[in-house]
């Protein structure tokens, strides 16, 4: 049986890598991918605790997170495509205006 | 045996995560993210969550990664990030703060008692068990999710329409 804190440590490391990715990368798509990886790190720790406590609701929460993430990716990528059409860039440093 | 599977999968997940952040090419980033998601799916199997394993592979590794790849290739965004950073001190600062965050999370998470995993009950994590929880305890959030997906679809269509009207 694998101790729960192994999963917590792995999840924390993945979350930190995601945070660094968001802060360091300037390609907005890679930034978005890093956010997805942070969501996955949180999901992993939820499933680990669901197993440790034998509580199925932890897995149900992960199911909802996956559904919301799918909707978020669809809307987020549509926004990025729209921004690219008007700005012709995927560099976050060039996206300084809310105005279209 | 289980520990060996965990160790190998964890290493694969971390390699995928680091390579995703470091890749210069956004297509490579998406593929390394796929590696990371697949490794996490294997970890779900180790945690007796076969339903989430399937969902992870179908929704994340299937749908979301394909959507990312489509958009990266559609925008031609896979080229290098040219030019210097607008904020020169941002990258080292981000690295230091990220490591500080990791240290803080590890200290807090690993100091308290996490409890040893209980013996897995028969049928834990099976689709029947999740469905029962989903349609009894979590029925309201489940229905709100349907509204959320509808709102997302309408939002994407509206974004596209407005763009077409301008052009």
């Amino acid at each position: 049986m694998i101790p729960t804190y192994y999963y917590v440590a792995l999840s924390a490391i993945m979350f930190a890598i995601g945070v660094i990715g968001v802060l360091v990368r300037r390609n907005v798509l890679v930034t978005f991918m890093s956010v997805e990886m942070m969501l996955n790190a949180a999901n992993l720790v939820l499933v680990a605790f669901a197993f440790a406590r034998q509580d199925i609701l932890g897995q149900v929460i992960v199911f909802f997170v996956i559904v919301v993430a799918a909707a978020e990716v669809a809307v987020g990528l549509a926004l990025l495509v729209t921004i690219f059409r008007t700005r012709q860039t995927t560099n976050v440093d060039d996206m300084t205006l809310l105005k279209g | 045996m289980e520990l060996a599977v965990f160790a190998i999968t964890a290493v694969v997940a971390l390699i995928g995560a680091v390579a995703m952040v470091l890749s210069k090419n956004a297509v490579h980033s998406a593929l390394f993210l796929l590696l990371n998601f697949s490794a996490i799916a294997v970890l779900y199997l180790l945690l007796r969550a076969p339903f989430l394993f399937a969902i992870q592979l179908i929704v994340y590794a299937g749908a979301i990664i394909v959507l990312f790849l489509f958009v990266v290739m559609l925008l031609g965004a896979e080229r290098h990030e040219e030019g210097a950073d607008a904020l020169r001190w941002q990258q080292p600062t981000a690295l230091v703060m990220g490591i500080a965050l990791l240290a803080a999370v590890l200290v807090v998470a690993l100091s308290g008692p996490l409890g040893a995993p209980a013996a897995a009950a028969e049928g834990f994590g099976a689709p029947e068990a999740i469905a029962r929880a989903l349609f009894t305890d979590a029925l309201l959030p489940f229905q709100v999710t349907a509204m959320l997906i509808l709102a997302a679809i309408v939002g994407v269509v509206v974004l596209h329409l407005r763009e077409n009207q301008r052009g």
Side-chain angles (χ1 to χ4, degrees), chain B residues 67-82:
Chain B
L67 210 54
F68 266 118
L69 281 175
F70 268 153
V71 172
V72 169
M73 291 172 176
L74 180 74
L75 301 188
E78 64 267 36
R79 62 183 179 278
H80 295 205
E81 295 168 5
E82 60 278 311

Side-chain angles (χ1 to χ4, degrees), chain A residues 6 8 20 22 24 39-41 43 53 56 58 60 64 79-80 83-84 86 92 95-96 99:
Chain A
Y6 284 19
V8 176
I20 293 172
V22 169
V24 166
L39 276 172
N40 260 271
N43 278 351
R53 306 178 69 86
I56 197 71
V60 172
F64 283 127
L79 277 171
L80 292 186
I83 292 171
F84 185 81
T86 52
V92 283
M95 298 176 189
T96 53
K99 217 174 87 187

Side-chain angles (χ1 to χ4, degrees), chain B residues 77-142:
Chain B
E78 64 267 36
R79 62 183 179 278
H80 295 205
E81 295 168 5
E82 60 278 311
D85 229 324
L87 297 173
R88 226 165 255 295
W89 43 268
Q90 190 189 357
Q91 290 198 353
T93 313
L95 206 61
V96 170
M97 297 311 267
I99 291 167
L101 175 75
L102 174 64
V105 171
L106 283 180
V107 166
V108 172
L110 303 182
S111 62
L114 291 179
E122 190 64 34
F124 177 74
E128 295 96 331
I130 292 186
R132 193 167 297 119
L134 206 55
F135 288 107
T136 54
D137 295 335
L139 185 60
L140 182 65
F142 184 71

